[in-house]
Amino acid sequence: MKKIIVLSLLMLVALTLFAQERRELHILSINDPHAAIEQFPRLGYVADSLRTLYPDLLILSGGDNRSGDPVNDMFEIPAYPMVALMNQVGFHATVVGNHEFDSSQEGLARLINLGAFSTLCANMEPDPKWKMHVKPYQVFDCGGISVGVLGITALGSMGIPESHPARMTDIKFMDPLETIQKYQFLREKCDVVLLLSHLGYKTDVKFSAELPWVDIIVGGHSHTQLDGGEIHNGILITQNSKSLPFATHSTLVLQGGKVVEKKAERIAVKGMSGENKTIAELVRYFSENPAFKRVLAVAETPFECKEELGCMLCEAFITETGADISYLNAGGVRIEEHPAGDITMGDIMKMDPFQNNLVELHVTGKELADMLISCYDNDKQRFPFVGGITCDIVTDPVTQKVKKLTLYDKTGKKLNMKKTYHVVGNSYSIAVSPTNRADQGQSMGITTPDIIKNYLEHQGRISFQGRRCLNLKH
């Protein structure tokens, strides 16, 4: 009997000492890589190096893994290269970003099934017919530390993530904060609670005041470059800018079953000399597509801003269709600049990676103005680029709502609000411009990258230096 008592006491002492022991959780996180596959050999090297030091390293992505490089996005299984590379690095989970829906419902389901990592999102409920294996959360055992990872994604002004609405039919979306609060039980279940967020930095900070039971938010969506991480309301928040210039290494120290220290450091990925050779070979294999290297035209001058690129794309829509006017949501132009010289098919797919169809419609000047304002409201209050016209836009300095919009034709005269015009735009721009117009639009049966390709091949040499179509005033 005495032996049993002594053994029980020794076990109790051992358990007490274990509970008081300082333990560390290490997390490597990225966000919004946007198919930057060329960075993955270096990211793999970072992961390998950290895993050597911390065998129980948890590796996470804050979403928007695809849409940015045609090598990835135009692969025979669209976006599979990113999944294969993330598998090779050893990711444990990703949250669903808005650009994950660029694959379509069936495409996203297929990519999820090909991933060796979990896909998390608590505020979406896909119809079972999509066979989309998305979990709200997952608990990971990291060397005896239980980590509850909860995924959440942002909803835009239309109540859905910011992707083509047609790619989200039969998927139910719920309010992010209300949804997060339903998972407070993770606090009792886990040593660490981590919110894997594709909400954006400002929303992460705002929500931190409502989530005292969360330890860390690994963020994405707004491409906010932090110097490692920030503490807001006791929660460590991390995020980096897009396309993998940096990754984040976060360390949480636990003692007595509670997190007692938190810190994060950013690690430069771009420019790092070391690389994972296996991943480098995978990238080389995926990149061997000569179609993307085909030269379509020559830019005689550099494109120095996104508006010059937007003007070129809108000009392509008009020239190739004979329409009077064109427009393109600002978020539809995915690069900021392009040097003078060759423009390749790969360049076009980086400018416009979404494979949207071109849509035409016949609307009055007044109906067009209403559509442009609607597109502005539903595209993060960014005014669309236009062709065939120019725009004066006056916005409220506080709400940023459009107070006054004046449209001018090519001669500088105000557009006739009663006249009917032949208008073209990509299918996403039209879909996020809901109005009560008579003509809702018809597909022209051609994708916008194909229209742009045709335009460049017909032109041969182009210059849009200094071209502007928008005059914004507050």
Side-chain angles (χ1 to χ4, degrees):
M1 184 67 178
K2 287 182 179 179
K3 288 183 178 179
I4 293 174
I5 293 172
V6 170
L7 285 171
S8 298
L9 287 171
L10 288 172
M11 288 178 64
L12 181 61
V13 170
L15 288 170
T16 301
L17 290 173
F18 179 75
Q20 292 177 346
E21 179 188 3
R22 286 172 65 89
R23 296 180 292 162
E24 291 186 355
L25 169 67
H26 293 271
I27 303 162
L28 176 64
S29 61
I30 66 169
N31 59 273
D32 304 277
H34 283 291
I37 66 170
E38 73 282 357
Q39 301 286 42
F40 265 74
R42 288 176 286 280
L43 178 66
Y45 177 82
V46 172
D48 293 342
S49 301
L50 287 174
R51 245 189 317 254
T52 300
L53 298 172
Y54 315 113
D56 299 302
L57 180 71
L58 184 64
I59 308 180
L60 305 172
S61 170
D64 275 4
N65 300 313
R66 62 155 299 156
S67 298
D69 189 325
V71 169
N72 175 74
D73 302 331
M74 301 300 294
F75 196 72
E76 56 185 309
I77 301 175
Y80 172 69
M82 274 295 292
V83 174
L85 293 170
M86 291 174 71
N87 286 344
Q88 192 66 35
V89 170
F91 275 80
H92 294 87
T94 182
V95 67
V96 176
N98 54 299
H99 284 291
E100 265 62 69
F101 294 98
D102 294 344
S103 295
S104 80
Q105 297 91 328
E106 297 92 339
L108 176 55
R110 189 178 191 184
L111 291 173
I112 290 170
N113 291 336
L114 290 169
F117 47 89
S118 297
T119 298
L120 308 178
C121 190
N123 64 323
M124 66 175 282
E125 289 183 3
D127 188 294
K129 70 181 180 183
W130 298 128
K131 298 179 182 179
M132 199 177 289
H133 300 133
V134 178
K135 306 175 185 178
Y137 73 92
Q138 184 163 337
V139 178
F140 295 93
D141 182 351
C142 299
I145 299 174
S146 60
V147 185
V149 180
L150 175 66
I152 204 78
T153 199
L155 307 183
S157 59
M158 300 179 73
I160 57 177
E162 292 163 342
S163 186
H164 200 301
R167 295 167 183 161
M168 286 172 279
T169 54
D170 295 323
I171 302 176
K172 180 182 177 183
F173 295 95
M174 292 79 73
D175 179 82
L177 183 57
E178 290 179 7
T179 301
I180 295 169
Q181 296 290 22
K182 293 178 181 178
Y183 292 88
Q184 194 166 346
F185 64 84
L186 289 172
R187 179 71 281 165
E188 300 300 320
K189 186 176 181 178
C190 304
D191 298 317
V192 174
V193 178
L194 184 151
L195 182 63
L196 191 56
S197 160
H198 197 76
L199 297 174
Y201 170 74
K202 289 183 179 178
T203 303
D204 288 341
V205 172
K206 179 181 177 182
F207 281 11
S208 68
E210 306 293 329
L211 304 173
W213 49 276
V214 171
D215 297 299
I216 176 172
I217 298 175
V218 172
H221 189 45
S222 59
H223 310 163
T224 304
Q225 185 59 63
L226 302 181
D227 186 12
E230 298 177 354
I231 301 290
H232 292 272
N233 297 301
I235 299 176
L236 176 62
I237 296 176
T238 74
Q239 189 170 162
N240 290 299
S241 56
K242 68 176 182 177
S243 302
L244 278 178
F246 299 99
T248 301
H249 172 213
S250 301
T251 304
L252 276 66
V253 178
L254 290 84
Q255 190 167 18
K258 294 183 179 181
V259 177
V260 294
E261 292 178 24
K262 307 171 186 178
K263 65 179 181 179
E265 59 177 338
R266 68 181 186 187
I267 299 174
V269 176
K270 190 173 183 179
M272 177 173 285
S273 57
E275 64 176 29
N276 178 298
K277 302 300 183 183
T278 301
I279 294 175
E281 186 61 23
L282 262 179
V283 170
R284 185 198 62 77
Y285 167 76
F286 288 133
S287 300
E288 289 182 344
N289 189 335
F292 296 133
K293 299 176 182 178
R294 183 160 65 91
V295 176
L296 304 175
V298 174
E300 295 178 337
T301 56
F303 290 87
E304 296 178 322
C305 66
K306 186 179 280 193
E307 189 170 353
E308 290 177 359
L309 289 161
C311 287
M312 187 268 283
L313 300 186
C314 287
E315 183 78 14
F317 296 170
I318 289 177
T319 302
E320 292 300 312
T321 65
D324 302 312
I325 299 166
S326 64
Y327 77 96
L328 169 67
N329 64 299
V333 182
R334 302 305 294 181
I335 62 175
E336 301 290 334
E337 56 188 24
H338 188 281
D342 292 346
I343 302 176
T344 66
M345 191 65 209
D347 294 330
I348 296 308
M349 297 309 303
K350 289 180 180 180
M351 292 179 198
D352 180 7
F354 303 119
Q355 291 296 297
N356 287 309
N357 286 320
L358 199 66
V359 172
E360 65 176 343
L361 61 168
H362 293 82
V363 293
T364 66
K366 175 63 167 63
E367 288 175 326
L368 172 62
D370 291 342
M371 290 176 68
L372 294 174
I373 292 172
S374 181
C375 185
Y376 168 86
D377 289 336
N378 291 318
D379 191 38
K380 299 181 181 178
Q381 294 188 314
R382 297 174 295 185
F383 205 84
F385 302 120
V386 295
I389 58 172
T390 56
C391 306
D392 281 352
I393 310 109
V394 179
T395 60
D396 185 285
V398 178
T399 66
Q400 303 303 311
K401 289 286 186 181
V402 175
K403 292 173 62 177
K404 184 180 179 181
L405 173 61
T406 309
L407 309 180
Y408 302 91
D409 65 20
K410 289 183 176 180
T411 68
K413 291 176 59 177
K414 287 185 180 180
L415 206 67
N416 187 333
M417 292 291 101
K418 295 181 180 180
K419 183 179 176 180
T420 297
Y421 296 92
H422 182 195
V423 177
V424 293
N426 73 30
S427 52
Y428 177 81
S429 299
I430 304 300
V432 298
S433 306
T435 63
N436 293 324
R437 61 188 183 271
D439 186 354
Q440 294 297 318
Q442 303 81 36
S443 173
M444 299 185 73
I446 187 169
T447 66
T448 51
D450 281 338
I451 281 283
I452 299 162
K453 174 184 73 69
N454 294 344
Y455 168 78
L456 290 173
E457 288 182 324
H458 292 155
Q459 298 299 310
R461 304 185 74 84
I462 60 170
S463 175
F464 281 79
Q465 191 170 48
R467 283 281 291 274
R468 299 291 184 270
C469 57
L470 307 176
N471 180 27
L472 291 162
K473 301 176 183 176
H474 297 291

